Amino acid sequence: VQLVESGGGLVQPGGSLRLSCAASGFTFSKIHMSWVRQAPGKGPEWVSTISSGGASTWYVDSVKGRFTISRDNRKNTLYLQMNSLIPEDSGLYYCARQRDFLAAREIPPRDDWGQGTQVTVSE
């Protein structure tokens, strides 16, 4: 199983970034996928989940209306479009397999995460 995130960077408040996660080694189209983030000195925070077919999505309240999760099952790729970024959005962003279909709002096990991509929102 391999999950490789990309697209992070430094952006000013109010800016946008699009994260991508290339998946391999498993049947991507049959697994819910999530984004998890971790700010320096803090524990991980679940951000969003998308169902295997893409029809259902879930978001933590702090990103609703600003972030959009999506997936392309033909390309085995997960996305997170982040708009109106604020400094509190800074952190390492991980894509993760959410194998428990009943745990859409929970942080997946650490073994199911990628290596992460850094997002820094600052002037």
Side-chain angles (χ1 to χ4, degrees), residues 73-88:
N73 285 346
R74 297 167 300 174
K75 297 182 178 180
N76 286 0
T77 303
L78 176 72
Y79 303 101
L80 186 67
Q81 177 67 45
M82 305 187 295
N83 299 329
S84 302
L85 284 161
I86 59 178
E88 291 76 13

Side-chain angles (χ1 to χ4, degrees), residues 27-93:
T27 307
F28 180 76
S29 61
K30 294 188 177 181
I31 299 291
H32 286 14
M33 294 294 295
S34 297
W35 288 98
V36 176
R37 67 185 178 186
Q38 188 163 16
K42 295 187 177 181
E45 177 186 35
W46 168 78
V47 175
S48 182
T49 297
I50 186 167
S51 61
S52 56
S56 297
T57 57
W58 298 265
Y59 299 93
V60 67
D61 286 348
S62 60
V63 308
K64 282 181 181 177
R66 300 189 299 121
F67 290 11
T68 302
I69 190 171
S70 62
R71 63 193 298 163
D72 186 337
N73 285 346
R74 297 167 300 174
K75 297 182 178 180
N76 286 0
T77 303
L78 176 72
Y79 303 101
L80 186 67
Q81 177 67 45
M82 305 187 295
N83 299 329
S84 302
L85 284 161
I86 59 178
E88 291 76 13
D89 293 321
S90 298
L92 267 172
Y93 280 70

Side-chain angles (χ1 to χ4, degrees), residues 23 84 96 100 111 123:
S84 302
D100 185 348
D111 287 348
E123 294 286 357

